[in-house]
Amino acid sequence: MPKIVIAGNWKMYKTQSEAKAFFSEFPAQLKATASQAAIADQQILICVPYTNLGILQTVVPSLGQANLSIGAQNVHWSENGAFTGEISAPMLVELGIKHVIIGHSERRQFFGETDETVNKRLKAAQAHGLTPILCVGESKQQRDANETEAWIFAQLAADLVDVDQNNLIIAYEPIWAIGTGDTCASSEANRVIGLIRSKLTNRDVTIQYGGSVKPDNIDEIMAQPEIDGVLVGGASLDPAGFARIVNYR
């Protein structure tokens, strides 16, 4: 069975002091929002800016939350080199990081990420024992043109060449729903995620939904049978809101 992974993506938010303030409040919020029916074998992951990785790796272990860990938001395909502004897998591994987001739509849209570079990053991450979260998804224009399936299938075909599907998480993030408040209908997200799973050699890959996930829609999203978790943007910045998302009903 796929593992449930509830992940936050802080993007370019929170200084070190703000990050520490978040984690000073988050454990109490997890207790306050917990329901009687505990969610078994669930992983909580928060992917933070590079400047927060080191400090949070000293803070989080002291919280007593064994299923909570810190991840990164990108990784380069080379171990070192003249790549200004990038970070390598060995650098993340040295910090004890185990997860990294790769191919987020914002990286593809604003920083020239291609399926070729996504594939190289995926293989580099796995070569160093990191578990990548591969992001795929369609634009509003592609959805309106009924190209959703063809676009995502093409992304998967290119991105997953020689990638180990036994060490992988996939996030379906319809670009038109990211940060817009326009959430993809839960049934439609479930349908697309089912189609993604049909293209995998390992049907037990955790497949998340991402796109305007909030405390008030998490229960409906997680009730869908194909959805194994969420990748949360803005709502992960608030300890109370993200705790409620973690403790979905």
Side-chain angles (χ1 to χ4, degrees):
M1 293 290 292
K3 186 170 187 175
I4 299 297
V5 180
I6 306 296
N9 175 17
W10 279 3
K11 306 187 181 185
M12 198 177 70
Y13 289 99
K14 293 197 184 294
T15 62
Q16 290 185 16
S17 60
E18 290 169 338
K20 287 190 288 185
F22 175 96
F23 281 102
S24 69
E25 184 179 348
F26 187 53
Q29 292 294 339
L30 283 175
K31 292 179 181 178
T33 57
S35 62
Q36 291 182 341
I39 301 159
D41 197 28
Q42 179 199 52
Q43 184 166 6
I44 310 167
L45 175 67
I46 303 182
C47 297
V48 303
Y50 298 138
T51 52
N52 289 333
L53 292 175
I55 188 69
L56 291 181
Q57 284 296 77
T58 66
V59 170
V60 170
S62 67
L63 300 179
Q65 192 77 33
N67 63 338
L68 171 63
S69 58
I70 298 300
Q73 297 177 7
N74 196 19
V75 66
H76 198 266
W77 53 84
S78 292
E79 293 191 359
N80 51 59
F83 302 105
T84 302
E86 289 284 343
I87 192 166
S88 72
M91 294 173 182
L92 297 178
V93 171
E94 184 181 43
L95 291 173
I97 300 300
K98 293 182 171 59
H99 295 82
V100 57
I101 297 172
I102 294 176
H104 192 281
S105 63
E106 291 160 2
R107 299 296 310 174
R108 297 180 191 255
Q109 180 179 357
F110 299 122
F111 301 103
E113 192 81 85
T114 65
D115 287 320
E116 179 184 5
T117 58
V118 165
N119 177 253
K120 291 166 70 174
R121 294 183 199 274
L122 289 168
K123 290 186 289 188
Q126 291 185 338
H128 290 275
L130 295 167
T131 298
I133 301 176
L134 166 64
C135 298
V136 297
E138 81 284 4
S139 67
K140 184 69 163 62
Q141 182 179 8
Q142 289 159 342
R143 172 161 282 270
D144 290 345
N146 294 317
E147 297 173 352
T148 295
E149 292 86 351
W151 176 260
I152 292 174
F153 292 166
Q155 283 186 311
L156 293 171
D159 294 348
L160 294 179
V161 174
D162 297 326
V163 169
D164 180 8
Q165 294 186 20
N166 293 312
N167 182 31
L168 178 68
I169 298 170
I170 295 176
Y172 167 54
E173 292 203 307
I175 298 170
W176 49 272
I178 298 176
T180 64
D182 187 8
T183 307
C184 179
S186 298
S187 58
E188 174 62 7
N190 186 73
R191 183 188 74 86
V192 175
I193 287 174
L195 292 174
I196 292 172
R197 197 178 307 280
S198 74
K199 295 296 181 179
L200 303 178
T201 57
N202 177 13
R203 299 297 181 91
D204 287 334
V205 169
T206 294
I207 307 181
Q208 303 171 309
Y209 168 73
S212 296
V213 177
K214 303 182 186 69
D216 60 4
N217 62 24
I218 184 62
D219 298 342
E220 181 180 350
I221 290 170
M222 290 304 300
Q224 303 300 314
E226 293 287 354
I227 299 178
D228 307 317
V230 287
L231 181 58
V232 186
S236 70
L237 298 170
D238 171 54
F242 190 56
R244 176 60 180 84
I245 289 172
V246 169
N247 288 319
Y248 64 88
R249 307 291 192 260

